[in-house]
Amino acid sequence: MTTTREPDSARAAPPTRALGPRVVDVIFRRREASILLVTLALFVYFSSVNSAFFSEANMRVLSHFTYPIAMIALGQVMLLVCGQLDLSAGHVFAFTPFVLLFFIEAGVPTAIGVVLAVAAASGVGLLNGLITVKIGVHPFITTLGMAFVLQGSTLIIADGRPTTPPDLGSVESEIFGRFPFVGIMWAVVLTALMYVVLTNTRWGIYTFATGGNPLGAREAGVPIDRIKIGNFMMCSALAGFAGTLEGYRISSFDPLSGGFTTMFFAISAAVIGGTALAGGSGTIIGGFLGALFIGVLRDGFTIEGISSFQLFIYLGVAIIISMVLNVWLSRLRRGAMLS
Amino acid sequence: MTTTREPDSARAAPPTRALGPRVVDVIFRRREASILLVTLALFVYFSSVNSAFFSEANMRVLSHFTYPIAMIALGQVMLLVCGQLDLSAGHVFAFTPFVLLFFIEAGVPTAIGVVLAVAAASGVGLLNGLITVKIGVHPFITTLGMAFVLQGSTLIIADGRPTTPPDLGSVESEIFGRFPFVGIMWAVVLTALMYVVLTNTRWGIYTFATGGNPLGAREAGVPIDRIKIGNFMMCSALAGFAGTLEGYRISSFDPLSGGFTTMFFAISAAVIGGTALAGGSGTIIGGFLGALFIGVLRDGFTIEGISSFQLFIYLGVAIIISMVLNVWLSRLRRGAMLS
Amino acid sequence: MSTDQSVDGYAIRTENIAKNFEAVVALEDVSIELQRGEVLGLIGDNGAGKSTLIKILTGFHRPDSGRIFINGEQVTPRSPSHARSLGIETVYQDLALVNELPVYMNMFLNKELRRGRLPLLNKRKMKQMAREHLDDMGVQLSSVGTEVTFLSGGQRQAIAVARAVYSDASIFLLDEPLAAMGAKESAIILNLIRDLKRKGDVSMMLIAHNYTQVVDVCDRVCLLQHGQITYNKPVGETSVQELTELVAAEYRLGNNGNASGK
Amino acid sequence: MSTDQSVDGYAIRTENIAKNFEAVVALEDVSIELQRGEVLGLIGDNGAGKSTLIKILTGFHRPDSGRIFINGEQVTPRSPSHARSLGIETVYQDLALVNELPVYMNMFLNKELRRGRLPLLNKRKMKQMAREHLDDMGVQLSSVGTEVTFLSGGQRQAIAVARAVYSDASIFLLDEPLAAMGAKESAIILNLIRDLKRKGDVSMMLIAHNYTQVVDVCDRVCLLQHGQITYNKPVGETSVQELTELVAAEYRLGNNGNASGK
Amino acid sequence: TGDDNGNGEAADNGNGGNGGGGAGNFPETPAWNFVFVNHVTTNPFFVPTQYGIEDASAMLGTEFQWSGSETSEISEMVDAFDTALAGGADGIAVSLVDLEAFNGPIERALSEGVPVLSYNADAQNQRLAYVGQDLYGSGYAMGQRIVELVGDGKVGLFIATPGQLNIQPRIDGALDAIRDSGADIDAQDIASGAELPDEVNAVESWYLGNQDATGMFAVDAGSTQAVGQIVEQQNARDNNLRGAGGYDLLEETVRLVSDGVLDFTIDQQPYLQGFLPVLYLYLYKLSGGVATPPETNTGLVFLDQDSAQLFLETESRFEGDSEEQKIVEPVN
Ligand SMILES: Nc1ncnc2c1ncn2[C@@H]1O[C@H](COP(=O)(O)OP(=O)(O)OP(=O)(O)O)[C@@H](O)[C@H]1O
Ligand SMILES: Nc1ncnc2c1ncn2[C@@H]1O[C@H](COP(=O)(O)OP(=O)(O)OP(=O)(O)O)[C@@H](O)[C@H]1O
Ligand SMILES: [Mg+2]
Ligand SMILES: [Mg+2]
């Protein structure tokens, strides 16, 4: 082998470039570059077709389409990377606001109530994790069962109809969803946090190892059970928090919100962002971008005035074409990085 | 190593037993034994709780709950074993009857129409396969996009409402769904067929190899692309045929039938039956039993008259408990096989 | 040289093969010949590109440039199946086993036995033959029906070797087929290789890091260095000593290079 | 014998270890001692149970019965982490690499370097040290940032070896650490082993099928057969010849057994 | 069939009038875009609604969009509403299946001068008017009819998707009416599933376990058809069954009513729920807000064996079983 040894620091700092091109370069080198480009292209397309698309009002709508999916996607990425998945995330999303409601009605201040409700949500994750890891039930089945249990419980607690949050006027209700763009801000902050966790901490490495080679990880002393359980908890906590934000935003705790649809969109976002279903590989930023991609499509076609029957066809075709483009772009990118 | 060499033929024919115990023994040695036992246990439970459960009439209902899920599950097992999956199967299920309708209205005899419609369905699978395999889009995304396209197309073709099949009285309509128990008979026949394909043909071995070790399979000369595409086609064809049977059975081609729910149940059936999502392992009979398990649960709780909100909780809890039992039984079984 | 259909007497001949993996130059310019009836030892450092060369010959990788002649005919294998149809059997370094399949199915992967003309597998026959092959190789294994996941390293390798060796191919490419084999099992397999050779008309390329084995069984040795063949001698004209020296020299050079590169 | 805290002078001592995998008896009754400061060679046929013994000592498997003493204390490792906390480092035969992670993360798996007290990884330091280790081992590799999936067999093994060897453990269990290594790289690693030994207070168990290497670097050799230790001699009292004979004898016996069993 | 539910392209060929250059003798108006936000966009119940929208749009030269949620998910509807607003819709009709969630968006729309109506489902808020039927009220009326028909005994009430807001209030209303009547009725609410096949299975399976049932009713289109089919198949009327019925005008349902298998099905003029809002929004825009839309009750019609005849023998856009435009001749 003749080695053209690439200095290992090359990635971090190409020496002789101005800031602008350098930023472009750094972005281009990342795996998420292609899905970012595809999303940007869609963005430009919709803006050019309908001037209202790139208005502040619609950016707010776009953020609403994006942030709940993005936040659940973060958790699903962690789980998928370690070889698990959570079908109950969408139902935790619907369930958690009612836990909060319970606390608020018991006189707990909202802020503390949110913390407790999110803790309760992560308790669901703990249960998912324990049943999956300790007993050995496939996560698909554990979380499917859990989803049904939560769905029934939520409907019973809510009496089958949406409830208006009791403290709509409060500062907390603003912070937890009502203030414009606050949802997406939470999502961005959490994305940054999870990004660091997955790429720059032991937990992240162990998550990859657990999904990539469970046997090898065990041999190397990675506590794979704890990693899986922890990620189940994180996923549920994120989903629960997202549900709370969403409940405040629309002034309605809705027992039918979330559900399998939202879970499904979140897993799609993760996969679109480049996370494998088989475990061992995935990116947090990709998950966020995947959610944004889905948001742009849904928002864009709706604002274009596509009616619902056609909307499905537009969505389907756009997804496939975009992802073909995505594959093609990432090949191009890898080719270009050679030279 | 001290080898207690087990004669390789031991599995096939234990020498000194009467037929009855021998059958039990053969069943017990199979991987699917535990889920079979769990399903039987549920069966006994529901029969004892409500005498109407084990009536001929309800067996027919049970068969209706089971056969469409079972048939789609067969295809999903093939796909999952080779490391793929098909989110569009439920929408092929809804779409295919309308293709048939088109042919019938064009004057094609029903029997030929069914063949053509199923061929059209497998065309959808071909497309799924080509996009996934040749372009390299993740099957999750390809089939998600395809699902949306089909949903929109079906709704448009159907004008958004169910249609009554035009040839309800015909012999064909009886064979293709209306005759009592004909659906489950089709499902059983197809299960037997697919069982042979997966376990006793090259195609089956290659399917395992493609999912278990794609790189190794390629090295060994397995045509993994063709295997994947073929299984996509099979899955779509099975789903399309199931949709046709279902349309005739309920005297209504319904554009909203199938969909993600049915697909989801089918994948659940596959996983409950012991098929891994990660590829490389799975059983056809398990897929069928998984569908039966789901059918028994849904039918049993409905016949018991569990009210709507609680139903979800019962379902969820029953799924989790049964699967815990399943894990425990299969450990027991493996332990017992030692002695 | 054997009296066969090949025009030039070579089972395999390559001209100026090059192969890059993104920034890594695996092969720069490899021209190598495998004569009919010969066992050729291919040696070289870790990461020298030996396995890459094999994978190009089996159609698993496509060369970036260069020409390949098989039995005198210019042909670039398109896929492992294609290579097999040209009479090439391979033991890959990674063994190419499917963990989820039982031993006997792995051994007969892509050359399954059928029941007469039916498209059904003849499992009984495959099991029986798998058992025989393993016994021949001196490898103990409780049941050929077990999945290969948990087999020992040597047992796994034996399956891969049996898959290739018990076939009627005319060219064998063996990529470190003895790496995990016990001393006894290695000896048996080396004997098998000698037997095959004795039958004639069979050519082999053997990659190994154990030069004793190389000198023991090969007719000729090639050294792959810097993406090129830098040494090519009949075994009679060399020795374990010389080969070891050769590689060590390279090390001292390479090490200096590394040191200065730091 | 070294002057250490261990009560009985043994780094590891096992008594009557047995382990079955369903119908397979992997270990029947293994009593073995690893003295402090000693390099013990463990040899045996494929499937003899060598790796199983190692995995029991690292807590990956639990023994069915028998007792384990580590540094004189009776303790059955609960998990690989537990074993590590007892000062045991291991190179597993399957390498325990995560394909999707880059070289340097694999090398530091479960002993990641942090940035001071922060829970953040010090990637720069890990990369730099990974590079140094590879250079020390004479293994060429273009970038320590590449994923390990596509590395050559020897490159992969080098990472696993580096992971274990460059640590401050006192007991090393090396399961065929040289199987895929080139002649040159093997020589370097054997030197590393000698260096470690020279530093004292380090004990090693080395599994290898290459008896030249065993005789070269070990102080004592044990043979594992029929799930028991059937041979145990200082290296000075044996030779490559004798070891080979030993195993071959077993083969002739075993083969007969097989033949009659057919 | 390009004009079935497209985004109002029908406007091009629907320009019937000549007066002021616009429709009829209206002045020429811009192609106003009216957005309908729905909670179950693919539900066959709303096919005639979409025809109504299409026809009114063609008549008036306006455009429309049919959007919302497939599964009555409120946040999705709110997003669709906000998108419409951001996209410059000229008027919005929304099925107010949530009491609070749309208050903010509606206020915002009104303050931007975009008129908002509610249709099919209502909440007391700023919206200009409601066109449709009271869901809970219709359920309550059905409950009273159930008591009348059945008197006492075990009654199954089927609901496709529990909690879904276009149907849950109906079942709540029915249960309340039964309770309020004081009749000795054991009413069980049963989930039947989102799709017709599931609904048929569930209804049959419940009936098999409860053959002493005196009544079977459903609150959504699919389950109603399923109830009819099972009552027919099982000859339940020869058993203990005294009453069966439900909602909406699926082809099969109408046949079952006309055959006397079902006692009734409730019709609520879905066509008008699409047609009228377009008209109201148009007039509002045209009049600069002077022509304030009126509250409109589209009625609660119990279709029985006699009246079903009419529906059975005709197919029309008003019932949603034909897209053909024609004058429907009365049967008698
Ligand atoms: N698919 C691939 N993608 C990227 N790099 C690769 C790929 N395959 C091989 N390489 C690189 O090419 C070089 C040659 O690898 P190869 O496996 O041919 O070495 P080798 O001579 O077989 O080594 P060993 O003796 O260790 O098996 C190595 O540096 C390896 O990392
Ligand atoms: N997890 C397991 N499940 C079932 N059988 C196993 C398992 N691990 C090992 N075995 C069996 O136990 C026996 C001993 O295997 P082991 O890996 O210890 O052999 P080894 O001495 O390391 O052989 P090699 O030299 O080939 O590496 C083999 O027959 C193997 O098939
Ligand atoms: Mg190699
Ligand atoms: Mg071993």
Side-chain angles (χ1 to χ4, degrees), chain B residues 1, chain C residues 140-142 150-156 180-182, chain D residues 21-22 24-27 44-53 55 61 93 175-176 207 209 224:
Chain B
M1 187 189 72
Chain C
Q140 302 212 349
L141 195 63
S142 59
F150 293 118
L151 296 190
S152 84
Q155 290 167 335
R156 291 168 61 87
M181 300 304 285
Chain D
F21 295 108
E22 306 199 344
V24 177
V25 184
L27 300 176
D45 279 352
N46 290 132
K50 306 179 293 298
S51 299
T52 304
L53 179 61
K55 285 182 180 172
H61 289 318
Q93 191 172 10
D175 194 350
E176 307 196 23
I207 299 180
H209 291 300
L224 186 57

Side-chain angles (χ1 to χ4, degrees), chain A residues 1, chain C residues 21 46-52 93 176 209, chain D residues 150 152-155:
Chain A
M1 188 189 72
Chain C
F21 296 106
N46 291 132
K50 305 179 294 300
S51 299
T52 304
Q93 191 172 11
E176 307 196 23
H209 290 300
Chain D
F150 293 118
S152 84
Q155 289 167 336

Side-chain angles (χ1 to χ4, degrees), chain B residues 182-202:
Chain B
V182 76
I184 195 78
M185 277 156 56
W186 275 110
V188 167
V189 168
L190 288 168
T191 302
L193 187 72
M194 296 312 292
Y195 171 75
V196 172
V197 170
L198 186 58
T199 59
N200 273 284
T201 68
R202 274 194 168 200

Side-chain angles (χ1 to χ4, degrees), chain B residues 52 57-58 60-61 64-65 151 155 159-161 246 249-250 254 256 258 261-262 298-299 302-303 307-309, chain E residues 4 42 44 47 51 70 162 168 188-191 195-198 201-202 204-206 208-210 229 320-321 323:
Chain B
N58 189 55
R60 205 175 57 236
V61 178
H64 297 163
F65 271 111
Q151 185 170 9
L155 281 168
D159 260 329
R161 58 168 179 266
E246 192 74 344
R249 176 177 77 77
I250 63 163
D254 177 6
L256 290 187
T261 317
T262 299
R298 292 167 78 190
D299 183 45
T302 313
I303 210 169
S307 84
S308 54
F309 293 173
Chain E
D4 41 34
T42 55
V47 170
Y51 289 152
E70 224 190 316
Q168 183 69 36
Q188 298 186 353
D189 59 312
I190 306 296
E195 307 147 18
L196 200 45
D198 287 346
N201 291 341
E204 183 164 15
S205 140
W206 183 86
L208 291 171
N210 300 275
Q229 286 181 320
D321 52 5
E323 35 164 332

Side-chain angles (χ1 to χ4, degrees), chain B residues 11 22-37 195-196 198-200 273 282-286 289 326 329-330 333-334 337, chain C residues 123:
Chain B
R11 231 160 240 260
R22 205 159 80 202
V23 168
V24 170
D25 191 80
V26 166
I27 290 174
F28 191 67
R29 279 174 180 281
R30 297 197 62 90
R31 241 162 42 106
E32 299 91 348
S34 55
I35 177 69
L36 179 66
L37 282 178
Y195 171 75
V196 172
L198 186 58
T199 59
N200 273 284
T283 89
I284 286 287
I285 293 182
L289 291 173
N326 186 21
L329 273 175
S330 45
R333 183 181 66 85
R334 300 183 77 196
M337 271 175 64
Chain C
K123 291 190 182 180

Side-chain angles (χ1 to χ4, degrees), chain B residues 110-111 114 168-183 185-186 241 244-245 248:
Chain B
T110 302
V114 170
L168 274 187
S170 66
V171 180
E172 287 92 342
S173 77
E174 293 294 324
I175 295 174
F176 294 124
R178 293 184 63 73
F179 198 77
F181 292 107
V182 76
M185 277 156 56
W186 275 110
F241 187 54
T244 307
L245 294 179
Y248 275 118

